[in-house]
Amino acid sequence: MGIGERRAAARIGTVADARRLARRRVPGPVWDYLEGGAGAETTRRANIEAFEQVEFRPRVAASAGTPPPDLSTTVLGTEVSMPLLLSPVGFTRMMDPAGDVAAAGAAGAAGTIMTLSSMSGHTIADVGSAATGPAWFQLYFLGGRPGAEQLVDRAQRAGYRALVVTLDTPVPGNRERDLRHGLTPPLRLDRGTITKMFPRVLPHPRWLIDAARDRFQLDLVNSTTLELDGKTMTSAEALLHWLATPARWEDFTWLREQWDGPIVAKGVLTGDDARRAVDAGAGAVIVSNHGGRQLDSVAPTLAALVEVVAAVGDRVEVLMDGGVRRGADVVKAVALGARAAMAGRAWAYGLAAAGRPGVDRVLGFLREDIERTMRLTGAATVAEIDRSLVRIPGRWEG
Ligand SMILES: Cc1cc2nc3c(=O)[nH]c(=O)nc-3n(C[C@H](O)[C@H](O)[C@H](O)COP(=O)(O)O)c2cc1C
């Protein structure tokens, strides 16, 4: 953690600041991978705009001011210090060498849960031992079922508390920005690709020095270490098996035998699918459209949350991600029935802008904004953040 990173982090006061600094620090192709959505990016933008369409109906003069509001809650039985968790983000080691380790450390320090992506640049075991708080593991079937079995086993042994199964990625989304850079799915950013991009990398010397110090460790470590029939698969093989094995509801039965803990279904957008997830044994669902990176033109997640909560909110905990950029957004999601909100790009911007201190900073001011919003809306506890606090567009009611 260098002085440069701490200095950069000190300049971050909003997610928009982190986004601006991240864009400046990382090369264009890395930025476009982090920021981009699928197709016309309609859903990526809509996720953010949906929060702007929800109005608060504050309870004024309701709180005594002391003690300050209590932001703590529980998610799947785990205590968290605020209703904001970290969504899984792949390829973070190319945003900053500290990558997933930084995210795990920052989440632990903030008293919340980080979710490690299957597409991580640090191993499941390394992130597990670096974590100072609870962590979840997000599963893609890298290497097909045999590969998934090994990943699940590693996550279990490293102490991850829940298995998050991402369901919205039967094929990678049409990320036109990546295609423009010649990055075709399944995305691989390694030394060869970076060499080809060299002209775009040169104007970002700080990033280049950091990546060189990290010896360009850009491989997806989970896809290079899996075995099939006694032989180690290549990364390309593991990714091909993944694409040939999209997650299905039937897999939940199998996963329940492999995994001793809650299974969370990520990528649910309708009440019907939420019911299917619960019937299949999911302990929680994450209403998510992958940050607008998979199927474009689906509903913004905040709107889909209303339908999903109405369908299964009394049976399981419902989480949401997509477009969370402010503490007030977290309060809106909770008011609409989310147990907690999750953020992907917000923390990844902090990481790309300023490494671990950048993630600490983003989580710090999001917490401050949740607290301020609770005071302003008159909610003393997370339980008091209820539906009466918000007004939503009529068409969301279904
Ligand atoms: C750069 C990037 C990489 C991502 N990688 C994964 C991944 O490996 N697995 C996954 O389930 N979701 C992945 N997601 C989706 C996030 O978990 C989350 O659903 C999304 O970022 C939420 O939207 P937000 O970025 O507006 O917060 C990724 C998102 C981004 C931005």
Side-chain angles (χ1 to χ4, degrees):
M1 202 185 297
I3 293 175
E5 288 190 334
R6 273 197 289 268
R7 219 177 271 152
R11 289 161 59 203
I12 301 174
T14 60
V15 171
D17 292 340
R19 180 177 179 275
R20 195 168 27 79
L21 290 175
R23 185 175 199 168
R24 211 177 296 157
R25 181 174 175 219
V26 302
V30 175
W31 169 253
D32 279 336
Y33 169 71
L34 163 54
E35 176 71 350
E41 302 196 345
T42 312
T43 296
R44 180 185 67 77
R45 287 188 300 275
N47 278 345
I48 296 170
E49 285 158 12
F51 282 101
E52 294 167 7
Q53 291 166 26
V54 172
E55 294 168 358
F56 282 120
R57 304 174 63 251
R59 292 188 284 262
V60 293
S63 75
T66 50
D70 180 4
L71 277 67
S72 66
T73 184
T74 62
V75 178
L76 286 174
T78 295
E79 272 185 33
V80 285
S81 70
M82 60 177 166
L84 175 66
L85 279 52
L86 277 64
S87 288
V89 172
F91 289 93
T92 53
R93 197 161 180 168
M94 101 188 154
M95 299 167 198
D96 183 275
D100 315 293
V101 168
T112 191
I113 297 169
M114 79 89 66
T115 313
L116 180 69
S117 163
S118 277
M119 300 297 199
S120 59
H122 293 89
T123 65
I124 294 170
D126 284 351
V127 178
S129 49
T132 52
W136 292 355
F137 178 66
Q138 177 266 324
L139 180 71
Y140 280 139
F141 283 55
L142 296 176
R145 264 204 191 186
E149 194 175 334
Q150 293 161 61
L151 294 175
V152 168
D153 181 52
R154 288 176 198 175
Q156 194 94 68
R157 278 189 284 132
Y160 290 75
R161 304 247 183 121
L163 191 65
V164 176
V165 184
T166 300
L167 300 162
D168 58 12
T169 314
V171 290
N174 176 32
R175 318 243 176 96
E176 295 182 3
R177 302 196 204 202
D178 292 345
L179 297 176
R180 240 176 274 138
H181 294 300
L183 301 172
T184 45
L187 190 66
R188 287 202 60 204
L189 275 165
D190 51 21
R191 256 167 276 192
T193 349
I194 293 289
T195 311
K196 263 193 260 160
M197 288 176 189
F198 213 64
R200 316 260 340 243
V201 172
L202 267 183
H204 302 269
R206 193 155 72 86
W207 180 89
L208 189 59
I209 292 166
D210 289 345
R213 274 203 198 119
D214 196 34
R215 284 178 279 134
F216 294 103
Q217 301 265 340
L218 301 168
D219 274 349
L220 295 174
V221 285
N222 298 326
S223 68
T224 54
T225 51
L226 297 169
E227 290 190 0
L228 187 65
D229 301 330
K231 278 201 305 200
T232 307
M233 283 183 250
T234 64
S235 183
E237 282 166 350
L239 293 172
L240 285 176
H241 282 294
W242 164 48
L243 293 179
T245 324
R248 304 180 64 205
W249 296 121
E250 292 88 277
D251 294 319
F252 278 62
T253 315
W254 175 75
L255 281 171
R256 277 206 313 275
E257 286 159 21
Q258 313 297 317
W259 176 258
D260 185 19
I263 299 179
V264 180
K266 176 171 185 275
V268 169
L269 287 171
T270 65
D272 283 345
D273 272 351
R275 277 185 282 269
R276 247 169 237 134
V278 177
D279 293 344
V285 295
I286 304 175
V287 179
S288 173
N289 52 35
H290 219 106
R293 295 162 72 83
Q294 282 302 109
L295 179 62
D296 193 27
S297 291
V298 293
T301 38
L302 196 62
L305 174 69
V306 177
E307 178 179 329
V308 170
V309 167
V312 299
D314 55 345
R315 294 166 70 194
V316 293
E317 292 182 1
V318 179
L319 302 157
M320 70 79 66
D321 72 18
V324 172
R325 302 289 184 270
R326 295 179 179 279
D329 297 343
V330 175
V331 175
K332 288 175 181 177
V334 173
L336 290 178
R339 187 77 189 172
M342 301 178 74
R345 289 186 187 81
W347 73 258
Y349 292 151
L351 177 71
R356 161 78 195 264
V359 188
D360 287 332
R361 187 88 182 154
V362 166
L363 295 179
F365 63 67
L366 286 175
R367 171 196 299 284
E368 282 167 21
D369 196 31
I370 296 171
E371 183 183 330
R372 184 184 310 108
T373 306
M374 287 175 69
R375 281 183 193 269
L376 289 169
T377 52
T381 62
V382 172
E384 286 182 21
I385 305 173
D386 60 23
R387 187 62 193 267
S388 72
L389 277 191
V390 289
R391 181 183 293 120
I392 63 173
R395 66 181 187 287
W396 292 9
E397 306 272 9

